[in-house]
Amino acid sequence: MKLNIYIFSFLFIFFCLPHQAEAQQISKAVQLNISDYLTKIGTREIALKHPIKIKSARVIGKKVIITADDNCAYIPFREKNVAEIYHGVKELLPTKYAGYNVTIITNKRTIESLIPIPFRTKKIAENKLFAPAPTTPLVTNISKAYQPTLGLRNRHLAIWQSHGRYFNQRKQCWEWQRGRLFETVEDLYTQSYVLPFLIPMLENAGANVLLPRERDVNTVEVIIDNDEGVDKNSTYTETSGTEKWKTGAEDGFAHKRDLYIEFENPFHEGTYRQVQTVSGGKESKAIWTPHIPKEGEYAVYVAYKTVPNSSKDALYSIYHKGGITQFKVNQQMGGGTWIYLGTFHFDQGKSDRTKIILSNISSTPGTVVTADAVKIGGGVGNIARRSKSKKTADYITSGYPRFCEGSRYWLQWAGAPDSIYSESQGDNDYSDDFKSRGHWVNYLAGGSSVLHKQDGLHIPINMAFALHSDAGLTDNDSIIGSLGIYQTSSWGGKYENGADRYPGHDLVDIIQTQVVNDIRKTYEPLWSRREMWNKTYHEARFPYVPTMLFELLSHQNFADMRYGLDPRFRFTVSRAIYKGMLQFLCWQYHQKYVVQPLPVDNFEIFMSGETEVELRWQPVNDPLEPTAKPEQYIVYKRLSNGAFDNGTLVGTNTYKISIPKNMICSFKVTAVNKGGESFPSEVLSVGKAANSKGTVLIVNGFDRISAPADFVDPNDPNHAGFLDHEDHGVPYLKDISYTGKMNDFDRTSEFISNDNTGFGNSESDYETKVIAGNTFDYPALHGSSILKAGYSFISCSNEAVSNKHVSLNNYKIVDLILGKQYRTKMGRGNVYPIEFATFDKGLQAAVTNYVAQGGNIFVSGAFVASDLWNNRNIQPSMTDMQFTQNVLKYKLEKSNAAHNGQVKAEKSGYNLFNGTFTYYNTLNNQSYIVEAPDAITPTDKNSKVVLRYSENNLGAGIAYQGTYKTVVWGIPFESIREIENRNILMHNILNFFSAN
């Protein structure tokens, strides 16, 4: 018997039989006992806000049918607790019902049917699944070194990150939809999960991911089109081979104006070009050559027209600093909007080395490829708004980067019909924004096997997911936690293929379970699992595909945000969401799943020949996921100041390659398996000088990413918050969610408005800025100065030294990069182990042994002393302090020592530098901030101050000369702004080490 028939039989009995004649009511006292029992179970399983109530308990024949309210449906049902519940309820029934069949119904389902199928061990007949027939994917990167087979290949996912900046018609201004709290705002905050973590994980698993908001944070935007437009510097050209290009019959894109008002649609203002495909002979090409105003990383989008007989394999080639990357695009879907291909590094200016080419070469000749526009970069918002009632008012743009704006504005720029992005027809941008996301999902899927009856872009969307953060606070340090939302009754309770909408429930349960379990196992065992709501939120009810709205945590609650601002937490949560999606989608297709591996570590590069280097690394086990085991690896290479190539697939954890002399060669490694590709390792570099004076080992000891420092006043628990001025923390690569420092530390301060949010209120001076973080790419910067000084260099990770894979004793000079390394807690602390020591026990032992052999070491880091002497998260140890004093010959003079960003030379006799230099002491997009570096002082008669902070004369660096030599700075070398000063300093340090 089908499960849906099984469920229906109970509902039929309950609702349709003549209850008055045949049904008996269980007594109210017994119902109350059952209610209390289910509430007890519910409270154990989740943070249940309200008691579970029994709506009815009837006896029909030999069956007891108990109907509980929807609070019962919030329980994550599993075979074990379902069996426990039935056993417990039967124990509470009067003895005369012993032997009766008992059925418990909530949310219009039996509780056993609410167990997601992936969590069942007993095989049962299934409902009809939501599993669109696979088609040729929208976009395929054919230059990738590896394609996953048990991941998300051939799946199309609609993902979005909550709110965005919008135009308030009543106030006649642009504003955030939420208030600034704890140094962020929800409109930006959820992007810090979706853009840097979740989307790359899904794409690394093979998925095509579509967003209703701009994904590129670069404010530069270049549009190249076949029609003449605003950009006069970029060019569109064609070459015709066997088949000739011609203008298409319908509307295409044109960029005719800087601003768009009302419902103007740039995809209806121009033309497009088309040509028939060939499988051989002379090809025809469309060539887009941009003028790039500034070197950097840019997203590349293409626009084309879907026409009858469109090609499934339109071949695009992107020429960038790392080489050429090719994509095949299925033009039978996605026509008339911006389709993202990838993000690439481009040089400034215009050249033949920077271009996008579309070819008419195809495996299916006689089809049609179309060429319209190419968009490079993210840009600034260009949708101008005014209130409909203010006919004489000026149209106003947000003035913000486009990635800050809500979906409603991106969708207009991306060519969607106004019925998709403005249900109110321009009256209410706030409601239009949140409603547009659900309409957009159906617009994407319209015309595909998912949604035949609606016009759209023909993309078979498999699922949709919205990440939000919630409101709510506690008056202590308890967690608000995670809430999931789905909806089953809309559209007649079914998807177009006839499947009911309860896969949405399973999607929510699977993802919420994965997220909560992973957080509890790694960071916070008390993380709160909240309800699974079946409610009519527009984002959950409107899409014709399984959809989850996820309220991850409360952005209003300090206890939640102590975790929520940490990039490690964001990575773990995003990985859990990806794993949940993977499980759900693979179940829909009866496919085994494999989770992509974690990044490798213990990375090292060493010279294995005159111009040959060998790379070695170690795989990392994932204690949360047994399938996430590496099978192969991809090595990516970068030459000089270029960009990384498309990678080389290797079968083992070693790789040899020849390198040119007098050029920096950089490498990063990813692990791959059938589920996809991991995030990359740190970047290590090597350089071979033609007439080398020696070889320097660079040890990258800066792998920290963290939230800002925080505190709870032990003498006044109502005084708490984040301490940006002491330690801003370290973003992963870059931070796109920071608004400004916190300025209200009083827990009793009440929320008044979005601009006066009470406790946690934060400033706004950085909310349009991208903040640089840890790029994990500093050996190349150090190595550049080393190579200029005439020395060769190699590099390794600090783990490789601590774990004895690399011996410092093989090198006369060591350069230890410590950046902002500092022993850091997670969240409230005392649960997850402290991470990111400047000198762990293994490294201390290696350095002690190294200098005892006469080695020379240069150490630079902002917390090179305070991490060992007065770390706020851990008690100092005598061993640590003795190490700095007795081995490296310095001690802490003052933490939080300087703020003005200038250092001057000290005439000490060692003469390592003359004059002054500056370092990055404020937030910026070029380098991580050094906001409060250490002052250090010598501990030996042969140890001398060589640098001082200009503002107060405190010691910024020391040098020691004895049986070995050390140079130690409280300023990270890579944070020095002036390249010439870095080169001079490194040259003088190496000369100091090399002199007798």
Side-chain angles (χ1 to χ4, degrees), residues 70-212:
D70 285 351
N71 288 313
C72 185
Y74 302 155
I75 297 172
F77 291 110
R78 303 293 182 266
E79 290 174 343
K80 183 177 179 180
N81 65 6
V82 165
E84 177 189 3
I85 288 169
Y86 274 119
H87 176 78
V89 169
K90 288 177 181 178
E91 290 288 311
L92 295 172
L93 292 173
T95 56
K96 64 181 179 179
Y97 299 123
Y100 280 46
N101 290 326
V102 177
T103 299
I104 303 173
I105 295 171
T106 181
N107 194 18
K108 300 181 181 179
R109 289 291 191 272
T110 61
I111 61 172
E112 57 268 30
S113 70
L114 292 175
I115 305 171
I117 291 177
F119 297 149
R120 303 182 190 191
T121 59
K122 299 173 184 176
K123 197 168 184 179
I124 64 164
E126 295 176 349
N127 277 337
K128 186 177 180 65
L129 298 173
F130 183 87
T135 60
T136 302
L138 174 61
V139 176
T140 303
N141 182 342
I142 62 173
S143 296
K144 269 189 173 293
Y146 183 82
Q147 297 288 346
T149 57
L150 295 177
L152 295 173
R153 192 176 181 187
N154 208 5
R155 306 289 176 253
H156 298 87
L157 313 181
I159 308 292
W160 61 92
Q161 58 275 40
S162 68
H163 313 282
R165 202 156 179 88
Y166 83 107
F167 182 75
N168 185 320
Q169 273 87 349
R170 182 176 59 82
K171 295 181 180 179
Q172 280 286 294
C173 68
W174 289 77
E175 63 182 12
W176 297 119
Q177 296 185 39
R178 298 293 184 266
R180 300 176 191 88
L181 282 160
F182 301 117
E183 307 189 341
T184 188
V185 60
E186 185 189 355
D187 307 59
L188 295 176
Y189 174 64
T190 51
Q191 301 210 77
S192 68
Y193 294 79
V194 171
L195 295 184
F197 297 117
L198 179 58
I199 288 177
M201 290 172 184
L202 296 171
E203 291 176 338
N204 286 353
N208 273 256
V209 183
L210 297 110
L211 283 78

Side-chain angles (χ1 to χ4, degrees), residues 893-907:
E893 183 176 11
K894 187 180 186 300
S895 58
N896 197 4
H899 305 282
N900 290 353
Q902 188 175 79
V903 175
K904 62 182 180 180
E906 169 77 358
K907 295 187 181 301

Side-chain angles (χ1 to χ4, degrees), residues 282-419:
K282 191 175 180 183
E283 69 179 320
S284 301
K285 297 178 183 179
I287 305 163
W288 295 265
T289 307
H291 179 271
I292 304 295
K294 183 179 179 181
E295 180 186 352
E297 285 195 341
Y298 294 84
V300 175
Y301 299 81
V302 296
Y304 50 86
K305 194 77 171 183
T306 295
V307 298
N309 202 30
S310 276
S311 171
K312 286 186 176 181
D313 60 353
L315 179 61
Y316 289 87
S317 300
I318 300 178
Y319 289 66
H320 54 94
K321 284 192 75 171
I324 303 171
T325 303
Q326 293 187 309
F327 296 86
K328 287 190 175 180
V329 175
N330 181 358
Q331 290 194 345
Q332 293 184 1
M333 58 179 79
T337 190
W338 297 120
I339 298 298
Y340 173 76
L341 297 187
T343 296
F344 303 93
H345 202 113
F346 294 121
D347 272 323
Q348 183 177 1
K350 182 179 179 182
S351 77
D352 196 50
R353 298 187 304 276
T354 301
K355 60 187 175 182
I356 294 88
I357 296 178
L358 170 62
S359 169
N360 74 330
I361 296 291
S362 168
S363 61
T364 310
T367 59
V368 175
V369 294
T370 60
D372 203 341
V374 167
K375 173 177 128 67
I376 297 176
V380 176
N382 62 353
I383 307 299
R385 304 290 292 134
R386 72 179 182 190
S387 172
K388 287 177 70 174
S389 64
K390 306 286 186 182
K391 298 298 185 183
T392 60
D394 291 334
Y395 286 97
I396 308 169
T397 63
S398 71
Y400 275 51
R402 187 178 283 117
F403 80 91
C404 298
E405 294 183 345
S407 301
R408 179 252 178 268
Y409 311 103
W410 164 260
L411 292 175
Q412 181 172 355
W413 176 230
D418 58 83
S419 59

